[in-house]
Amino acid sequence: MESLHPHQAHSENLYTVDSGELESVLTAFTAGLLLITVSELGDKTFFIAMCLAMRHRRRYVFAGAVLALAAMTILSVSLGRVVSLLPRDLTHYAAIVLFVAFGIKLLYDAHQMRPECSDRTLAADDDYLECASDAERDAIAAISQAEVKLKKKTPFAICLEAFGLVFVGEWGDRTQFATIALAAAHNPVGVTLGAIAGHTICAAIAVIGGKLIAGRISERTVTQLGGILFLLFAGVAWFEGT
């Protein structure tokens, strides 16, 4: 049997390790990208970015929103790594329960939507306030309060307003807890990059596309997809732990 030269064996070992690490990063990246992109559409911070873009220059709103979401992602991933220090069985089952709870909650919300509003598109003009979701109402209320305090509409002030509103709006949100759960079980670099990419996509839809794009997205469909995706992640987490 042909033996490998020590240097060659060492190189192949490094290649194997690097390949495994790359696969771990890509898996985490995909998980973060999918979960955040679907979950963030129609969320409170989505509406905050969209409504701000209707009042101010889009580029400044986009910059502030993305920076806030990136900062929250890094914070959530850091919390997830702290959680990962707990017993593995505890974090594993806690993540499953969390994903199932969010999934059922989203499916229930979609089911409970009023018939005349259930298939309306996000940000539709007709009966907007009457059919508005809690996330939309919260976003409108937060922006109204912030606009009163905004004295000068300089680029920095607009970015700061967007950053503050989005950061506070994201705190305690389901996507934050989802990011924490993902980071506790998957590669933190991949989760961070995937989640930031997902947030950036949603911010671009909200700010650049604005009401035009949002008006073509069925709120009920988005809510249902989010619920199904959370349940799928719960199933994947369950089988990975068995």
Side-chain angles (χ1 to χ4, degrees), residues 122-224:
L122 297 174
D125 288 325
D126 298 334
D127 301 322
Y128 177 72
L129 290 177
E130 183 179 352
C131 291
S133 64
D134 292 338
E136 292 169 272
R137 293 192 179 96
D138 291 343
I140 293 172
I143 290 174
S144 298
Q145 294 178 3
E147 287 293 302
V148 174
K149 301 176 182 178
L150 186 65
K151 303 300 182 182
K152 296 182 180 180
K153 296 183 178 181
T154 63
F156 178 77
I158 295 171
C159 284
L160 187 61
E161 180 187 25
F163 181 94
L165 287 173
V166 171
F167 189 87
V168 172
E170 190 69 14
W171 186 264
D173 189 74
R174 63 175 178 266
T175 52
Q176 183 192 21
F177 288 108
T179 304
I180 293 173
L182 285 176
H186 296 281
N187 184 285
V189 175
V191 173
T192 301
L193 296 177
I196 290 176
H199 280 306
T200 303
I201 291 171
C202 291
I205 292 175
V207 175
I208 300 174
K211 210 168 183 180
L212 177 62
I213 295 177
R216 300 177 185 274
I217 303 175
S218 169
E219 184 173 10
R220 187 182 192 186
T221 300
V222 170
T223 305
Q224 289 173 334

Side-chain angles (χ1 to χ4, degrees), residues 68-78 179 191-193 195-196 199:
L69 293 169
M72 182 58 73
T73 297
I74 294 172
L75 175 61
S76 300
V77 170
S78 300
T179 304
V191 173
T192 301
L193 296 177
I196 290 176
H199 280 306

Side-chain angles (χ1 to χ4, degrees), residues 16 51 81 93 107-108 112 117 129 137 156 177 181 183-184 214 217:
T16 303
C51 293
R81 299 317 296 168
Y93 290 112
L107 292 177
Y108 176 78
Q112 289 296 111
C117 301
L129 290 177
R137 293 192 179 96
F156 178 77
F177 288 108
I217 303 175

Side-chain angles (χ1 to χ4, degrees), residues 22-43:
L22 178 61
E23 182 179 356
S24 173
V25 172
L26 290 176
T27 300
F29 176 86
T30 303
L33 177 64
L34 286 176
L35 192 62
I36 297 302
T37 301
V38 175
S39 302
E40 192 69 19
L41 285 174
D43 204 3

